[in-house]
Amino acid sequence: MCRMARPRKPLLSRDRIVEAAGELVDAEGLEAVSTRRLAAALGVSGPSLYNHFRTKDEILDAVADAVSSRVDLSMFEGAGGSGGAGSADGQDWRGALRAWAHSYRDALADHPNLVPVLARGPRRRPAGLRVADAVFGAMTAAGWPAAHATRIGALMRYFILGSAVGSFARGFVDDRAAYDPADYPHLGQAHLLAERQREVDEGAFETGLEALLDGLALQYEALRRGERPA
């Protein structure tokens, strides 16, 4: 008489651990990630996780890198020129930064709880390092001095990560009474902001991004003239 084989549990892997940790972070925040919680979610014993990751920080780095890997970097291939269509494929450093900013923000849209991990920098994370390498390489190829290219990569990350932390519009409550004109004479329409979240937040991102790129374009032209940018 043949015995029925027991169904086998899926083998534990780095990818399964990263996926489970990512779900915990998205749902409950960084503090929710622990060996106990992950082991329970994966149906394994806690020590088995250490065959793949030594520490919680390594797990969180891997989760963050999985998000970074979704950022499109194709716009930096051949990006150059002076802010117009200066490269063979019609792309330029300014347009490349704009497209990258949107791709990066889109990748972060569903994972705001991961921003503090990403804000630490790429560290040893392969996908994060590829992002840094692509940005720096494209800027220097376009004629930016290395020091400026480094600053551009940093300031773009500050701006994009900051935009992903939370919603400005949802920081206001849908209650006209909360904004007494006697106390806040300029917030008479603030109670309407939350219901216009997409319009407000995306508009703020676009306004800030274009202002940032305009400022960089002025510095770029000054460098091309041999002047020291302000």
Side-chain angles (χ1 to χ4, degrees):
M1 183 174 181
C2 297
R3 291 183 178 180
M4 294 187 65
R6 293 181 179 179
R8 297 182 60 187
K9 292 181 180 178
L11 292 176
L12 188 62
S13 66
R14 285 179 64 93
D15 288 345
R16 285 191 66 213
I17 296 170
V18 169
E19 181 180 1
E23 290 173 355
L24 272 176
V25 172
D26 289 341
E28 302 180 40
L30 296 173
E31 295 306 315
V33 178
S34 68
T35 301
R36 180 183 62 81
R37 291 290 303 276
L38 282 175
L42 292 163
V44 299
S45 63
S48 63
L49 299 178
Y50 295 114
N51 293 325
H52 301 277
F53 295 98
R54 293 175 298 175
T55 64
K56 171 181 172 176
D57 278 348
E58 283 192 0
I59 295 173
L60 292 177
D61 271 345
V63 175
D65 217 36
V67 173
S68 294
S69 69
R70 299 169 199 159
V71 180
D72 182 16
L73 300 176
S74 63
M75 68 287 295
F76 290 122
E77 297 172 4
S82 60
S87 63
D89 62 358
Q91 185 59 277
D92 63 280
W93 66 263
R94 177 174 174 149
L97 287 178
R98 181 187 293 110
W100 171 60
H102 281 285
S103 178
Y104 199 172
R105 185 169 182 256
D106 288 345
L108 294 174
D110 296 326
H111 311 286
N113 291 338
L114 271 175
V115 170
V117 181
L118 288 159
R120 298 173 191 167
R123 296 163 51 120
R124 294 178 182 272
R125 299 192 297 263
L129 288 168
R130 282 193 290 272
V131 171
D133 182 72
V135 176
F136 182 82
M139 294 306 100
T140 54
W144 284 98
H148 285 75
T150 300
R151 295 171 198 164
I152 290 170
L155 72 89
M156 290 295 293
R157 277 174 32 81
Y158 296 153
F159 176 71
I160 298 164
L161 291 173
S163 75
V165 169
S167 165
F168 174 83
R170 288 196 178 279
F172 295 86
V173 298
D174 183 14
D175 180 5
R176 182 189 293 269
Y179 307 104
D180 188 330
D183 296 320
Y184 315 107
H186 306 296
L187 295 181
Q189 301 297 308
H191 65 288
L192 301 175
L193 291 175
E195 69 181 43
R196 299 175 182 172
Q197 178 194 356
R198 186 181 183 88
E199 176 186 352
V200 173
D201 292 346
E202 292 193 1
F205 180 77
E206 291 293 342
T207 299
L209 179 59
E210 290 308 311
L212 188 156
L213 294 174
D214 285 346
L216 287 177
L218 291 175
Q219 291 192 31
Y220 185 83
E221 291 305 319
L223 285 167
R224 284 169 60 85
R225 294 193 300 269
E227 301 173 4
R228 183 183 179 85

